[in-house]
Every structure is written in C-alpha cells, then in structure tokens.
Amino acid sequence: MVRVQNRVCAVPLAHVIETMRQLPIEPLAGVPAFVRGVCIIRGKATPVVDCCAILGMRSFDENRFVTIRVGEKQVALSVGAVLGVREIESSSAAGVSLLQGVSNDLIETIGTLDGEFLMVLRSCWKLPDAVWHALAQQEVAV
C-alpha cells in the first residue's frame, strides 16, 4: 500500500520488485508529463512515473519509489509514502481501479507507449476510505 497525496493506493505485490527512497532523476525530453525522467536502479535505466500526474494531481511531497515489474522491464512509481504490505480481499476494492476517473487521453497515451505498463496500472487500486479505516482498526485489534 502506498500514499499518493491524500489517497491510499494498493499495488499488487506480484508486480512489486522493491521500495526505496527516491534516487536522483535525470529529466528526459519528449516524454509525456507523467514521466518524470529516468534513474539508475540496480544498474538499470528505469523510467520514473509520477503517480500524482497520473491521478490528475499537482506533484509534491513524493520521496519514495515503488519499483514494479512490467514484463521484462521495470518502472519506478514515484509516491509520497510506502505504507506497508496488507492482505486485502479483492471484493473490498472491486471496481476501484487506480485509473478510475483518469482522462481517456492519458490512458490512451500510456497504452500506446506500453500496453504492459497499462495492464499493471489497471491492476492497482485506489482504496476507499472505508477499507483504509477497516485495515487500521484491524491493526489496533492485533
């Protein structure tokens, strides 16, 4: 689970390679606005995708990366915080895709650039507040 400004999002663990502090990012010319640039992670040039930009929010306070597997490649998602690993029943977040409410133009751009990356993003969820609160209550009980 990650925080992107005031939203809590879930990235399926099967796609996650690792989480880390933000590394230096080199800007790239001619890329969509949601691509912040490229950084070197474990010796690989890795594109950095700004989750705030994907969600239509102004970027700030992003200081963590979640590196995800996209086919044979890796992509770093820039997020505000990594909140940990939680087991969430898929029925709790059904129909609340991370891309819900994102402009069709942006989704089309992502799909044109990399269909596999689009599929990974579609498997990510924005967690409704009720799910987040239930998880917090579960932790208090334990």
Side-chain angles (χ1 to χ4, degrees):
M1 295 177 50
V2 299
R3 183 178 44 75
V4 179
Q5 288 190 22
N6 62 346
R7 296 184 186 172
V8 176
C9 305
V11 179
L13 196 55
H15 298 296
V16 175
I17 298 170
E18 68 180 315
T19 65
M20 66 189 73
R21 281 181 261 167
Q22 183 173 300
L23 299 173
I25 302 169
E26 288 294 321
L28 293 173
V31 297
F34 61 85
V35 178
R36 293 183 60 199
V38 66
C39 68
I40 304 300
I41 298 177
R42 308 244 179 254
K44 286 185 175 180
T46 304
V48 178
V49 172
D50 183 347
C51 285
C52 286
I54 286 177
L55 295 172
M57 299 183 283
R58 193 180 55 115
S59 298
F60 72 96
D61 193 30
E62 296 143 326
N63 56 14
R64 303 292 291 178
F65 284 164
V66 176
T67 309
I68 59 172
R69 190 174 296 103
V70 179
E72 298 296 316
K73 301 170 281 201
Q74 68 183 23
V75 173
L77 299 177
S78 179
V79 300
V82 175
L83 304 174
V85 176
R86 307 278 195 297
E87 188 169 332
I88 302 169
E89 289 187 37
S90 58
S91 61
S92 299
V96 191
S97 166
L98 178 67
L99 297 179
Q100 185 175 11
V102 173
S103 81
N104 288 334
D105 289 343
L106 180 60
I107 291 172
E108 188 175 313
T109 299
I110 294 169
T112 300
L113 294 173
D114 192 328
E116 285 182 292
F117 180 55
L118 180 59
M119 295 298 288
V120 171
L121 284 179
R122 284 192 173 171
S123 71
C124 298
W125 303 329
K126 278 191 295 189
L127 293 178
D129 287 339
V131 173
W132 178 241
H133 293 301
L135 290 169
Q137 292 301 320
Q138 184 180 25
E139 285 183 353
V140 170
V142 174

